[in-house]
């Protein structure tokens, strides 16, 4: 097996080759330095990838071998940079048991430009997974890695491989290892209290594809609007565990809960600054819903807005210098932007009857997604800050609310009633590639981790 | 209070049997009397029927009325009910709102005034005014709108003289619809300031 160092050496060789290319030759489709590593498709089409089952090297690794291949296929398909050949069409291709058996001719006949070959060994609670990515045309291995760790979650190996392949092949930060957090009534508990028939909502998290669901809160109360800290190790949320809405921070890998706000004040809809040091949120502590900024530990409280109307639902710009939020100071809820210093207020949406939940895209995109009333319900729209143009990415299938960007800015999670109950979906920022994430109970207000 | 019970005066028409009974009773009474020295009685003369001696007083009955705790006044029936039962069948009516609005209309002010009357009558009650919104607003904005609805009702109650520290507010946004339907009738029921008694 070719070592990782050899792959790097290959990149260097490719760079030298590119430098000495005949200037009259047609330009390569990718950056010259990656010509030998990056697998291309036919001109104008994305490369076609095949991901057959990994080979099980130990008797009890069969399930993991299938899981890793299936999840890797899904992960690689998610970014829509590559074309993934459906796995149920591989029957005609002979199964390779080792890298030197990969049947390149048969894969080429199936139209593959790239094929993954991987092995899985399971030993004493440990998985050892080797994977290679072959260029079917050149029969060269362009990616070769070995991973080992616990055997409890084979999906994580697939997610890791996918992110590394996207990085190497497309210079793209994949999201396969990111998480979603949301509020859900799936445990069907009722709040104990004077008024009957009130459903508990708790905070849950899962992988970006909905697998590996973990419950974060257990307060048997209303727990709403989770958001991730930039380090993806903490979730801030709104909880009614004190009988009124207040902010809490769950350090999810330490089992620690923090309460950053002053006791007795009503606070909701937190959002971490991009550097994780500050939180902007809505509070009625001075009698009217206004925006406040505080340090993550509750110190340094500062009021950001001051208007008798409602100011709520804040989100940070990627640089941390501006806040987009919702205000009904013009009558109906609309999206505004204000500097984090409280200056330079301006209204963003003018053509909507009702707009809420602005969410600012990460770079390199420069846009704000929001939910707009489009009839009886809502649709997700995106305001392009460079052009001032608004485009729509959902179209009246149920009500579509609470958009949240993926960390690479290419996708949005949102809550939709299109299948009946309210569920979390993900969709590309171009409105394509819809995927359903949750199916249990009702699920609301997603947040996407780094 | 002690009552003295008396036997009705016995009148002359008395049967022979009755006379015998009367004599036996008299004899029995005589036997019960402590022996005291007295002159020998004169020879018995046939007792004239009309001159029968009055019957002895029967024993006095000693009775005392048992005091009964005062029954609740009619309008106080709700005071004895537990908080949960009270809130389940609340004496407070909800203040209803129109879509996207946190303003009290005439009907809303009338309901709030009636509720203020209850708060004056039960001066120890502390209430929470919950602001609720229908599902047509977004989850996020509705948290603020519900807050505005609750605060609008609280402000009105305070203007009617109710002490501010007796009225807490909380917004539940659109989280707890009062009518699970998806039509205007259901939404109108859910857009409310809902009164909950939190202590008595």
């Amino acid at each position: 097996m070719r070592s990782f160092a050899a792959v790097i050496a290959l990149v260097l060789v490719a760079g030298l080759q590119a430098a000495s290319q005949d200037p009259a030759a047609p330009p390569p489709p990718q950056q010259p330095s990656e010509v030998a590593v990056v697998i291309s498709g036919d001109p104008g089409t994305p490369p076609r990838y095949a991901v057959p089952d990994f080979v099980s090297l130990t008797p009890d690794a069969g399930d993991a071998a299938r899981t890793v291949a299936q999840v890797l296929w899904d992960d690689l398909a998610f970014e829509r940079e590559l074309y993934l050949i459906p796995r149920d069409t591989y029957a005609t291709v002979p199964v390779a048991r080792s890298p030197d058996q990969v049947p390149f001719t048969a894969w080429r006949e199936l139209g593959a430009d790239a094929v993954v070959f991987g092995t899985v060994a399971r030993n004493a609670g440990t998985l050892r997974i080797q994977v290679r990515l072959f260029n079917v045309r050149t029969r060269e291995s362009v990616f070769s890695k070995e991973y080992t760790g616990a055997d409890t979650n084979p999906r994580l190996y697939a997610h890791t491989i996918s992110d590394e392949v996207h990085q190497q092949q497309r210079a793209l930060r994949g999201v396969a290892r990111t998480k979603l957090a949301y509020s859900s009534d799936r445990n069907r508990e009722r709040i104990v209290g004077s008024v009957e028939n009130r459903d508990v909502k708790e905070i849950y998290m899962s992988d970006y594809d909905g697998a590996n669901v973990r419950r974060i809160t257990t307060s048997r109360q209303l727990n709403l609007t989770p958001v991730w800290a930039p380090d993806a190790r903490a979730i801030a949320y709104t909880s009614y565990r004190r009988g009124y809405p207040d902010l809490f921070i769950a350090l999810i890998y330490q089992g620690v809960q923090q309460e950053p706000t002053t006791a007795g004040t009503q606070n909701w809809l937190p959002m971490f600054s991009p550097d994780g040091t500050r939180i902007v949120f809505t509070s009625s502590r001075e009698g009217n819903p206004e925006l406040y900024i505080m340090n993550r530990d509750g110190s340094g409280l500062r009021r950001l807005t001051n208007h008798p109307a409602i100011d709520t639902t804040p989100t940070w710009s990627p640089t941390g210098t501006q806040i987009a939020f919702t205000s009904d100071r013009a009558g109906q809820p609309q999206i505004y932007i204000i500097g984090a210093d409280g200056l330079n207020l301006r209204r963003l949406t003018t053509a909507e009857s009702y707009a809420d939940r602005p969410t600012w895209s990460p770079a390199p995109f420069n846009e704000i997604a929001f939910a707009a009333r489009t009839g009886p319900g809502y649709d997700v729209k995106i305001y392009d800050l460079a052009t001032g143009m608004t485009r729509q990415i959902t179209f009246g299938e149920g009500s579509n609310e609470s958009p949240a960007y993926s960390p690479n800015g290419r996708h949005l999670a949102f809550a939709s009633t299109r299948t009946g109950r309210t569920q979390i979906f993900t969709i590309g920022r171009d409105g394509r590639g819809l995927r359903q994430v949750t199916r249990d109970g009702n699920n609301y207000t997603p947040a996407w981790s780094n | 209070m002690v009552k003295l019970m008396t036997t009705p005066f016995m009148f002359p028409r008395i049967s022979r049997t009755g006379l015998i009974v009367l004599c036996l009773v008299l004899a029995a009474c005589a036997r019960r009397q402590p022996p005291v020295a007295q002159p020998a009685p004169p020879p018995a003369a046939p007792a004239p029927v009309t001159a029968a001696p009055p019957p002895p007083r029967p024993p006095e009955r000693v009775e005392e009325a048992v005091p009964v705790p005062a029954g609740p006044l009619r309008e106080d029936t709700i005071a004895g009910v537990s908080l949960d039962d009270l809130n389940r069948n609340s004496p407070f009516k909800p203040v209803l709102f129109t879509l996207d609005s946190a303003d009290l209309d005439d009907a809303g002010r009338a309901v709030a005034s009636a509720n203020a009357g209850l708060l004056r009558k039960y001066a120890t009650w502390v209430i929470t005014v919950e602001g609720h919104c229908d599902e047509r607003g977004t989850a996020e904005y509705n948290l603020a709108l519900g807050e505005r609805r609750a605060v609008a009702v609280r402000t009105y109650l305070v203007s009617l003289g109710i002490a501010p520290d007796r009225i807490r507010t909380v917004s539940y946004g659109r989280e707890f619809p009062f009518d699970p339907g998806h039509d205007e009738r259901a939404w109108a029921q859910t857009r409310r300031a809902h009164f909950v008694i939190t202590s008595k």
Side-chain angles (χ1 to χ4, degrees), chain A residues 346 348 366-370 381-385 388-390:
Chain A
R346 69 181 172 109
L348 213 62
N366 187 24
E367 57 195 23
I368 291 176
F370 58 95
K381 294 187 179 184
I382 298 177
Y383 181 96
D384 185 323
L385 285 156
M389 304 289 283
T390 299

Side-chain angles (χ1 to χ4, degrees), chain A residues 201 240 308 328 356 378, chain B residues 130 136 138 141 148 171 175:
Chain A
K201 288 195 177 90
Y240 284 69
D328 64 2
D356 190 20
Y378 294 82
Chain B
E130 301 177 346
R136 282 179 295 174
T138 52
Y141 175 79
R148 294 272 291 208
S171 171
E175 303 299 322

